[in-house]
């Protein structure tokens, strides 16, 4: 026989697209439309109750529904139009026929969640379901009986499509003001149709049979039998009688679709999902509506498909539904109780987990898990982060302390250099904690349950010798939409089908339970961070996000400490205010806000939000200080004979600890540490050199820095002006500043030195107006380091400075929190920053190393004016070989509030243990929670001494991040004295202090939970 494989595949694609799928819906009756375009100036979107006339909001525009016709344009970008739809379901429908309202708002047949969307409601405000390009129908069965008239309302959001084909072109639609007032869409269809169930089923039969054949080798008989059945089915299609011929065509396919899977077939656990970005190419206000629309579709599908299981993360998303659609939230709670709607994740949002502080990640878990428990009755056990841009090595410990035993991610499949070697493995963090991790081999968090995807998952799965099952998250995501009945139909056909993996729909916790059961000594282990070899620019893009987050983290930590002092003095602890502020900070740590990869609207609002957070936090701090009668700490003044001498003419700065000499180009050519007499600038190098790089990534403009950008680096050597910088705050900090112009921008670099400190402070103030450029700041150091320590949450990650392997080579721009530390035996330098994250550290040709900090970028997508304006950044270069001293410098540099008298003498710390947090317990019991961590990667001892504010009787318990006691560790009472604690490297230890009756003494135990 001659092969007709290619022709049959082409034939089925054409026939399904043009001759079958368009006729799934048979028109039977018209509908009448009226529309009300909400005045954006009146504040939109408006509550549904207002649009429906149920509860009119004073001061808002009165709804004015005017006649509207199919074919008419609607919707300026980012507007909302409400449609009133009336019609009558024909009385003569045959038994079993199902009437559906079909709407086409003018979609392109792709990019679900990235263009206009709609939410359908009944006149009493009950949410029915949502509409999008792949979900254009509403079942009328429960709306009215045949022969009856109905009225429905459609809230249509005219969100512009900002990720077009080809993508990453600059767009003006990221702000309502620049997007224009012209209508963006045209209503194409609005009518009552009969849903031709057999025609729809035939489409799915053909997709599965032809799709499976395409994945099988032409050497296999199954391949040819599937194609022959497809050909015979297509032969049966009669365009004049499609419904009846569809039944005959399905009969031709029934045999090949009934053959069971092989006994050893891979098992794919299909879990419905919609990864919804809390903001990205849409503002926060639109995300809340996207969540509502997606959940409405999910609940609608659950009524029809009893096996359908759906997983949703992000406590913030549930909270939005609870606030904006309480009737929908009640249905969610009901389905959660049935076990079909499954909360996962247990964090406030799917946050970035590289840049937030350790305490921020604790609060992501604390607020997320407590919300899940309070609303749904249990903590989550799966940390679900499919799309964050890399995963910190601190995360496994925090996950375990937060109640999670399993972790899921997908993003590592995006690596641009190395293929990650495992899909099911133990992930071991920097402290030694492990969490069982699954990385779905289907390589997407938005699968459509196609034979092609499933075949890829089987071929791609790298742990076949140890496991035979994987997880497939399916449903339209990013902009929402979720699963469709087509996806569920394919899943049903692939449940037990020869030549394909077996597909089962079940809860993800049951999948992970099976993974845990099969782990053993051979289960692979990955140690350290799960770095994403992509999206390296997210550590720099949108400077205000990084600085606003860093300042907010510091402020809230400082406010909480003051508030505890006030509480112990008899005042009220501001629980509600701090909860609100923390949740706002946590929301803005979402992985497209903090990384700087959203549209202008998102970042404009975020800048205003960070300013509000600072104002409110400062007010709380002042109130707490007044209640506790806290006194400011006055730093000791330098003696007159230890003054800094700065000479602009001689280009020198000298103190009792530091000597700097500058070149004519305004960079430091010599830095002598006078304590040791050591020269720190390598011969011929220039410390403080600013470099301009051409920054035009191939794709993902706001996200990526291509390696080739380094080859374009040009030092800024333009003529500069010099000035002295006098002492501004009485600390003795004095120095010189250099100002230069380049392009359309200017930059002022100030070098400051303080008496008694082996430090050089570098302040950069840039007025930035470049496009597709990257500004970096270079610190070459004559230190014989082979690795560098990059601060991460509650510790550091050590990265090699060579490029011996492809894994080393891929780390050319990496994340550091407050410091990078480089050292040789007995000598080191810390490079501390006040709000930067992107760094590169590399060995120099000849001698020493170079720390390069990324200052500011200028990508054009998705925000064409990214970071244009004024920015100030600060670095402190401190001579120290000790990590704990480095942490102390980082604390000082990043402190926002002026220090006050130590609030509670809680802990005398020995070794490298750090007192991280002092706060009131979340249960409002009056207990105090104290968090300690080991920062240097070594075993350490801490002596815990409760201060006099607690009185003579204090019970101390070891608790987890949820502030619940950890077994088998037992309660203890500290009496008149001390408790000695031993910490393992990078351990995080949380203690809960209760004032109560005196009890027996007991040691503090710190074993792993």
């Amino acid at each position: 026989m001659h092969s007709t494989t290619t022709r049959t595949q082409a034939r089925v694609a054409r026939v399904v697209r043009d001759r079958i799928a368009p006729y799934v819906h048979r028109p039977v009756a018209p509908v009448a439309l009226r529309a009300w375009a909400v005045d954006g100036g009146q504040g939109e979107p408006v509550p549904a109750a207002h649009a429906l006339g149920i509860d009119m909001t004073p001061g808002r525009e009165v709804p004015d529904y005017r006649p509207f016709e199919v074919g008419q344009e609607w919707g300026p970008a980012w507007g909302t139009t409400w449609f009133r739809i009336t019609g009558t379901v024909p009385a003569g429908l045959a038994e079993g026929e199902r009437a559906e309202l079909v709407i086409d708002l003018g979609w392109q047949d792709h990019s679900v969640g990235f263009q206009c969307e709609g939410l359908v409601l009944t006149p009493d405000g009950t949410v029915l379901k949502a509409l999008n390009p792949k979900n254009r129908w509403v079942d009328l069965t429960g709306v009215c009986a045949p022969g009856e008239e109905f009225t429905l309302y459609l809230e249509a959001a005219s969100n512009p499509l900002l990720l077009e084909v080809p993508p990453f072109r600059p767009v003006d639609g990221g702000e309502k003001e620049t997007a224009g007032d012209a209508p963006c869409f045209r209503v194409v269809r609005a009518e009552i149709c009969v849903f031709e169930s057999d025609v729809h089923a035939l489409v799915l039969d053909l997709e599965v049979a032809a799709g499976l054949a395409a994945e099988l080798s032409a050497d296999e008989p199954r391949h040819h039998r599937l194609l022959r059945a497809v050909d015979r089915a297509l032969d049966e299609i009669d365009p004049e009688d499609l419904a009846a011929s569809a039944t005959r065509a399905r009969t031709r396919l029934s045999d090949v679709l009934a053959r069971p899977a092989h006994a050893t077939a891979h098992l794919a656990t299909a879990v419905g999902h919609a990864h919804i970005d809390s903001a990205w190419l849409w503002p926060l206000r639109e995300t809340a509506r996207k969540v509502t629309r997606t959940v409405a579709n999910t609940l609608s599908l659950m009524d029809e498909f009893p096996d359908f299981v759906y997983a949703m993360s992000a406590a913030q998303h549930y909270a939005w539904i609870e606030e904006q659609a309480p009737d929908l939230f009640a249905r969610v709670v009901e389905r959660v109780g049935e076990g079909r709607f499954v909360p996962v994740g247990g964090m406030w949002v799917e946050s970035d987990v590289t840049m937030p502080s350790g305490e921020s990640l604790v609060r992501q878990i604390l607020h997320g898990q407590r919300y899940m428990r309070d609303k749904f009755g249990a903590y989550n056990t799966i940390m679900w982060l499919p799309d964050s841009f890399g995963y910190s090595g601190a995360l496994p410990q925090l996950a375990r302390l937060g109640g999670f035993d399993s972790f899921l991610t997908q993003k590592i499949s995006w690596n641009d250099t190395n293929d990650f070697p495992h899909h099911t493995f133990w992930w071991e963090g920097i402290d030694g904690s492990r969490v069982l991790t699954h990385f779905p081999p289907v390589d997407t968090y938005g699968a459509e349950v196609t034979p092609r995807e499933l075949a890829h998952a089987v071929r791609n799965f790298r742990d076949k010798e140890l496991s035979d099952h994987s997880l497939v998250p399916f449903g339209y995501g990013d902009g929402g939409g979720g699963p469709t009945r087509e996806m569920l139909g394919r899943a049903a056909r692939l449940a037990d089908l020869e030549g394909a993996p077996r597909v089962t729909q079940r809860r993800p916790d049951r999948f992970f339970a099976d993974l845990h059961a099969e782990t053993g000594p051979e289960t692979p282990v990955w140690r350290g961070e799960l770095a994403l070899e992509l999206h390296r620019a997210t550590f720099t893009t949108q400077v205000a996000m990084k600085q606003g987050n860093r300042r907010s983290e510091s402020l809230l930590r400082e406010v909480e400490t003051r508030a505890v002092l006030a509480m112990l003095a008899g005042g009220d602890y501001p629980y509600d205010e701090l909860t609100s502020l923390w949740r706002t900070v946590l929301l803005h740590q979402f992985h497209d806000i903090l990384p700087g990869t959203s549209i202008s609207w998102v970042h404009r609002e975020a800048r205003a939000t960070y300013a509000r957070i600072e104002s409110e936090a400062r007010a709380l701090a002042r109130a707490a200080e007044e209640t506790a009668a806290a006194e400011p700490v006055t730093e000791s003044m330098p003696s007159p004979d230890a003054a800094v001498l700065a000479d602009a003419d001689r280009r020198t700065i000298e103190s009792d600890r530091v000597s700097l000499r500058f070149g004519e180009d305004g960079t430091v050519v010599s830095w002598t540490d006078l304590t040791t007499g050591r020269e720190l600038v390598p011969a011929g190098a220039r410390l403080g050199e600013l470099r301009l790089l051409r920054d035009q990534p191939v794709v993902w403009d706001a996200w990526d820095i291509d390696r080739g950008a380094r080859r374009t680096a040009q030092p800024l050597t333009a003529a500069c002006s010099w000035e002295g910088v006098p002492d501004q705050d009485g600390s003795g900090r004095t120095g010189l500043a250099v100002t230069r112009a380049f392009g359309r921008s200017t930059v002022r670099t100030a070098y400051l030195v303080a008496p008694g400190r082996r430090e050089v402070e570098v302040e950069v103030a840039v007025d930035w107006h470049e496009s597709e450029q990257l500004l970096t700041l270079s610190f070459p150091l004559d230190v014989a380091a082979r690795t560098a320590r990059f601060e991460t949450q509650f510790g550091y990650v050590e990265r090699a400075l060579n490029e011996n392997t492809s894994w080393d080579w891929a780390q050319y721009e990496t994340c550091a929190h407050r410091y990078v530390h480089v050292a040789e035996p007995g000598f080191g330098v810390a490079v501390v920053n006040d709000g930067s994250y992107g760094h590169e550290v590399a060995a120099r040709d000849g001698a020493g190393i170079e720390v390069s900090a990324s200052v500011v970028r200028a990508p054009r997508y998705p925000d064409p004016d990214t970071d244009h304006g004024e920015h100030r950044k600060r670095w402190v270069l401190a001579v120290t070989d000790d990590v704990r001293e480095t942490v102390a410098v980082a604390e000082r540099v990043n402190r926002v509030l002026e220090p006050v008298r130590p609030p509670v003498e809680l802990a005398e710390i020995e070794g490298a243990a750090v007192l991280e947090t002092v706060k009131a317990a979340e249960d409002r019991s009056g207990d105090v929670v104290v968090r300690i961590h080991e920062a240097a990667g070594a075993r350490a001892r801490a002596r815990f001494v409760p201060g006099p504010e607690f009185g003579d009787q204090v019970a101390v318990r070891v608790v987890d991040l949820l502030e619940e006691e950890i077994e088998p560790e037992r309660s203890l009472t500290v009496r008149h004295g001390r408790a000695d604690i031993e910490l393992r490297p990078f351990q995080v230890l949380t203690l809960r202090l209760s004032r109560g009756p005196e009890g027996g003494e007991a040691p503090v135990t710190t074993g792993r939970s």
Side-chain angles (χ1 to χ4, degrees), residues 290-301:
K290 285 177 175 291
V291 172
T292 298
R293 291 189 285 257
T294 300
V295 168
N297 277 348
T298 297
L299 295 174
S300 175
L301 288 170

Side-chain angles (χ1 to χ4, degrees), residues 813-988:
E813 177 85 0
T814 54
C815 180
H817 281 206
R818 298 173 302 176
Y819 70 78
V820 172
H821 185 253
V822 292
E824 60 188 50
F827 190 85
V829 177
V831 179
V832 176
N833 70 82
D834 72 345
S836 297
Y837 294 87
H839 296 79
E840 179 175 23
V841 186
R844 298 183 74 254
D845 291 339
I849 56 95
E850 180 170 287
V851 179
S852 176
S854 294
V855 180
V856 63
R857 300 182 68 233
R860 300 179 64 202
Y861 181 88
D863 178 0
D865 296 316
T866 299
D867 277 333
H868 286 191
E870 296 181 357
H871 307 283
R872 301 181 70 88
K873 288 191 168 186
R874 179 182 173 209
W875 288 265
V876 171
L877 281 59
V879 177
T880 176
D881 64 347
D882 184 75
V883 172
R884 190 179 180 202
E885 287 182 7
T886 298
V887 171
V889 174
E891 293 277 354
R892 169 164 48 85
V893 170
N894 284 273
R895 189 168 57 211
V896 178
L897 299 178
E898 291 298 319
V900 295
R901 178 179 64 85
V904 184
E905 297 289 349
L906 283 172
E908 176 186 345
I909 305 296
E910 298 176 357
V914 175
L915 177 61
E916 181 70 22
T917 299
V918 180
K919 64 180 289 289
E922 293 293 319
D923 61 6
R924 307 192 179 199
S925 61
D927 288 358
V928 174
V929 171
V930 177
R931 201 159 357 264
I932 299 169
H933 73 96
E934 197 288 316
R939 296 193 178 274
R941 295 179 180 272
R943 179 169 297 164
F944 185 82
V945 183
E949 290 86 351
F950 284 95
D952 293 333
Q953 301 170 11
V954 184
V956 181
R957 289 172 289 163
V958 178
V959 296
D960 58 18
L961 302 186
L962 308 179
E963 301 176 1
E964 297 182 357
E965 191 168 0
I966 298 175
E967 297 292 343
E969 295 153 344
R970 60 186 185 272
S971 300
L972 56 93
T973 299
V974 177
R975 190 174 53 182
H976 310 304
R978 71 190 189 197
D980 291 323
I981 303 170
E982 291 187 1
L983 297 173
R984 67 179 183 275
F986 298 131
Q987 182 181 357
V988 177

Side-chain angles (χ1 to χ4, degrees), residues 20-44:
I20 305 178
Y23 303 101
V24 168
H25 283 104
R26 172 168 51 89
V28 293
V31 295
L33 301 177
R34 299 182 74 88
W36 169 47
V38 181
D39 181 0
Q42 293 288 322
E44 60 92 21

Side-chain angles (χ1 to χ4, degrees), residues 437-448:
T437 299
H438 184 65
F439 164 29
V442 71
D443 281 352
T444 178
Y445 50 74
E448 298 181 39

Side-chain angles (χ1 to χ4, degrees), residues 381-613:
T381 60
I382 303 169
M383 181 172 278
W384 184 282
L385 285 173
D387 191 35
S388 291
F389 307 154
Y391 304 90
S392 158
L395 206 54
Q397 178 179 199
L398 301 183
R400 296 305 301 269
L401 290 173
F404 304 102
D405 60 16
S406 307
F407 178 73
L408 180 138
T409 179
Q410 181 273 325
K411 197 68 171 186
I412 303 301
S413 68
W414 289 43
N415 276 3
D416 64 7
T417 305
N418 295 284
D419 289 333
F420 195 77
H422 307 296
H423 284 105
T424 295
F425 58 98
W426 286 109
W427 179 21
E428 183 176 299
I430 58 176
D431 75 308
S433 297
R434 290 182 178 182
V435 60
L436 188 62
T437 299
H438 184 65
F439 164 29
V442 71
D443 281 352
T444 178
Y445 50 74
E448 298 181 39
V449 201
T450 65
R452 181 179 183 180
E453 291 170 337
L454 295 169
H456 172 76
V458 175
R459 288 192 297 266
N460 189 41
F461 189 48
R462 296 187 178 92
D463 302 291
K464 294 183 179 71
E465 71 279 13
L466 300 174
S467 181
D468 61 357
H469 55 121
S470 64
L471 190 142
V472 178
F474 70 94
Y476 294 114
D478 290 331
T484 65
R485 62 183 173 191
E486 289 74 25
M487 297 176 192
L488 291 166
R490 287 190 288 268
R493 285 160 175 79
L494 290 160
D496 190 14
L497 184 60
E498 182 186 0
R502 288 176 291 124
V503 175
T504 181
Q505 297 185 66
R506 59 176 180 159
R507 296 168 54 96
D509 53 347
R510 292 177 181 167
F511 165 80
F512 272 103
D514 287 349
L515 283 193
H516 278 278
E518 70 183 16
T519 57
E522 294 183 331
T523 303
V525 178
W526 180 268
R527 292 178 173 85
E529 61 185 335
L530 285 174
L532 176 65
E533 296 173 350
L534 197 72
H535 294 356
R536 300 168 180 88
T538 57
F539 309 134
T540 302
T541 307
Q542 297 284 1
V543 170
M545 301 303 100
K546 281 62 173 174
Q547 293 181 325
N549 177 72
R550 180 78 67 83
R551 289 180 66 84
S552 296
E553 290 173 333
S554 178
L555 273 166
L556 293 182
R557 180 182 171 200
E558 294 166 11
V559 168
E560 285 178 334
T561 304
R562 287 162 164 79
V564 166
L565 178 60
M567 180 179 73
L568 294 175
D572 293 329
Y573 192 87
Y575 292 102
D576 292 336
E577 295 89 340
L578 283 169
T579 294
S580 177
L581 288 174
W582 262 116
R583 288 183 174 180
T584 302
V585 171
L586 300 180
L587 169 59
H588 286 77
Q589 289 171 347
F590 177 73
H591 64 251
D592 278 306
I593 303 179
L594 178 54
T597 50
S598 292
I599 56 174
S600 174
W601 187 339
V602 173
H603 296 299
R604 171 178 51 80
E605 287 187 333
R607 289 191 293 270
T609 298
Y610 281 129
R612 174 180 62 81
I613 290 170

Side-chain angles (χ1 to χ4, degrees), residues 51-118:
L52 303 180
I54 298 172
D55 184 12
M56 304 291 286
T57 307
R60 289 190 184 273
E61 176 188 11
V62 176
D64 180 16
Y65 288 89
R66 299 181 179 182
F68 191 95
E69 301 292 333
V70 171
Q72 190 172 332
E73 293 181 327
W74 70 280
W78 302 117
T80 300
T81 299
W82 282 85
F83 292 94
R84 181 187 293 155
I85 307 167
T86 57
T88 301
V89 175
L93 295 181
E95 184 177 354
E97 285 189 327
R98 171 167 151 177
E100 295 186 346
L101 172 66
V102 177
I103 302 287
D104 185 341
L105 291 173
W107 289 294
Q108 299 185 44
D109 194 28
H110 59 80
S111 302
V112 175
F114 288 80
Q115 50 184 301
C116 66
E117 302 171 69

Side-chain angles (χ1 to χ4, degrees), residues 576-901:
D576 292 336
E577 295 89 340
L578 283 169
T579 294
S580 177
L581 288 174
W582 262 116
R583 288 183 174 180
T584 302
V585 171
L586 300 180
L587 169 59
H588 286 77
Q589 289 171 347
F590 177 73
H591 64 251
D592 278 306
I593 303 179
L594 178 54
T597 50
S598 292
I599 56 174
S600 174
W601 187 339
V602 173
H603 296 299
R604 171 178 51 80
E605 287 187 333
R607 289 191 293 270
T609 298
Y610 281 129
R612 174 180 62 81
I613 290 170
E614 178 149 351
S615 175
E616 293 180 10
R618 286 182 178 275
L620 290 176
R622 287 193 297 270
E625 290 168 11
E626 291 172 3
T627 299
E631 300 176 356
V633 172
T634 303
E635 294 190 21
S636 58
M637 300 293 290
S639 60
D641 59 354
V644 177
L645 302 177
D647 190 328
D649 293 329
R650 296 177 55 210
R651 313 285 199 260
T652 60
I653 305 174
E654 290 189 358
S655 74
D656 58 332
R657 300 295 177 91
V658 172
S659 174
L660 297 181
R661 181 166 53 86
F662 294 83
E664 292 297 321
D665 63 355
T667 61
V668 177
V669 296
S670 173
W671 167 19
T672 304
D673 172 47
L674 298 179
T675 301
T676 60
R678 178 151 175 175
E679 173 60 55
L680 285 166
V681 179
R686 296 180 293 186
L687 185 145
E689 182 176 80
L690 290 160
R691 297 169 185 165
L692 201 62
L693 287 66
R694 188 164 65 247
D695 186 17
Q696 298 173 325
V698 176
V699 293
W700 298 109
D701 295 32
W703 293 257
D704 282 358
I705 294 176
D706 286 354
R707 190 181 186 91
R710 302 292 176 186
R711 297 194 299 269
T712 71
Q714 296 294 322
L716 296 181
T717 57
C720 54
S721 60
W722 294 77
E723 61 181 305
V725 181
D727 183 4
Q728 300 288 326
D729 55 10
S731 66
R733 291 163 60 250
T734 306
L736 298 176
V738 179
T739 302
R740 56 170 54 87
F742 60 97
R744 295 175 295 161
S745 306
T746 59
V747 61
R748 178 181 184 269
T749 308
Y751 297 87
L752 304 171
V753 172
R757 289 182 177 164
R758 300 166 70 188
E759 298 175 359
V760 175
E761 185 172 333
V762 183
E763 292 183 351
V764 174
V766 58
D767 188 7
W768 179 251
H769 297 282
E770 305 309 302
S771 179
E772 297 186 315
Q773 302 281 335
L774 167 65
L775 184 67
T776 67
L777 179 62
S778 171
F779 301 119
L781 299 168
D782 195 2
V783 178
R786 297 182 180 275
T787 62
R789 296 163 175 163
F790 296 72
E791 189 188 32
T792 189
Q793 297 90 355
F794 300 122
Y796 62 78
V797 175
E798 197 160 15
R799 301 184 181 119
L801 302 187
N802 55 52
E803 296 180 353
N804 291 348
T805 71
S806 59
W807 298 91
D808 298 332
W809 186 85
Q811 294 192 346
Y812 59 83
E813 177 85 0
T814 54
C815 180
H817 281 206
R818 298 173 302 176
Y819 70 78
V820 172
H821 185 253
V822 292
E824 60 188 50
F827 190 85
V829 177
V831 179
V832 176
N833 70 82
D834 72 345
S836 297
Y837 294 87
H839 296 79
E840 179 175 23
V841 186
R844 298 183 74 254
D845 291 339
I849 56 95
E850 180 170 287
V851 179
S852 176
S854 294
V855 180
V856 63
R857 300 182 68 233
R860 300 179 64 202
Y861 181 88
D863 178 0
D865 296 316
T866 299
D867 277 333
H868 286 191
E870 296 181 357
H871 307 283
R872 301 181 70 88
K873 288 191 168 186
R874 179 182 173 209
W875 288 265
V876 171
L877 281 59
V879 177
T880 176
D881 64 347
D882 184 75
V883 172
R884 190 179 180 202
E885 287 182 7
T886 298
V887 171
V889 174
E891 293 277 354
R892 169 164 48 85
V893 170
N894 284 273
R895 189 168 57 211
V896 178
L897 299 178
E898 291 298 319
V900 295
R901 178 179 64 85

